[in-house]
Amino acid sequence: MDKTTVLLKATFLQLRLYLWIIVGVLAVSVITDLIISLAMGNGENSSVSAGNLLDVFLIFVGSVLPVSFFKRLIYLGATRKEYYVGVLFVYAVSAAVFAIFNIAWLQLEKDVIRSYEHTFNILEIFHWDQFGFGGMFGYQFGAYLLLLALLNLLFSGLRHAAGWTIWAVLIAAIPVFTSIAALRSKLTDGLQTLLSNDSLLQGFGLTFGAACLLFAGGWWFTTRRSFA
């Protein structure tokens, strides 16, 4: 069994509890929405795409691995570089898998589910569906990597003063940018440029480039982490 297989297996064992919880919640959501739709009549019920709800799992991937997976691999004899390269591989695989899953789920919604209820899907909300299958995959891949990179940076720096500074700045910036009209407008424009760009090349370039910068910051924290 090669290192890649071992890494993926160890990652799944680390995260499987969170995955089953989310799958369980997803199953309950689908069944509940189906019952409501049948009771109200076709097309009368609206809900968030059940497939998109599964994307919540990426939050656990980006937060649990930097917190607990680091120590486990180090204790097993891996170097910091081996740990970080392995985690980056897991992030890339996770982003790709969820991108493909959401594309397939959108087609299922269009062909079957929307005969019974209306759904809100992030591929349509962010207009990623305008780029075709390849474009939808690329934009999602960049966006999901950006989310994972941000979480990786935040949780890799939990034991470092600079990490706590980043947490403090982020927490303080959210109410400031959402409460002041001028800043709220800039925040909206920035998010739209990042996540809902009419140019696939620019949208992917911005999300992927930002993710790479955040991953570099995560590596900086990783080189300074203690084993305790």
Side-chain angles (χ1 to χ4, degrees), residues 160-175:
H160 198 283
W164 283 105
T165 301
I166 295 174
W167 273 98
V169 170
L170 183 62
I171 293 173
I174 293 175

Side-chain angles (χ1 to χ4, degrees), residues 132-214:
F133 290 108
M136 281 192 287
F137 173 84
Y139 215 139
Q140 282 186 94
F141 183 78
Y144 296 157
L145 271 188
L146 178 58
L147 171 64
L148 291 167
L150 175 60
L151 292 169
N152 178 74
L153 175 70
L154 292 172
F155 285 93
S156 294
L158 281 178
R159 292 180 177 271
H160 198 283
W164 283 105
T165 301
I166 295 174
W167 273 98
V169 170
L170 183 62
I171 293 173
I174 293 175
V176 170
F177 273 84
T178 55
S179 60
I180 301 175
L183 294 179
R184 184 166 61 245
S185 176
K186 292 184 180 297
L187 176 63
T188 301
D189 292 341
L191 290 176
Q192 184 172 1
T193 300
L194 190 65
L195 298 177
S196 189
N197 202 306
D198 290 332
S199 169
L200 173 61
L201 182 61
Q202 188 178 57
F204 173 76
L206 288 172
T207 54
F208 186 77
C212 290
L213 289 175
L214 294 176

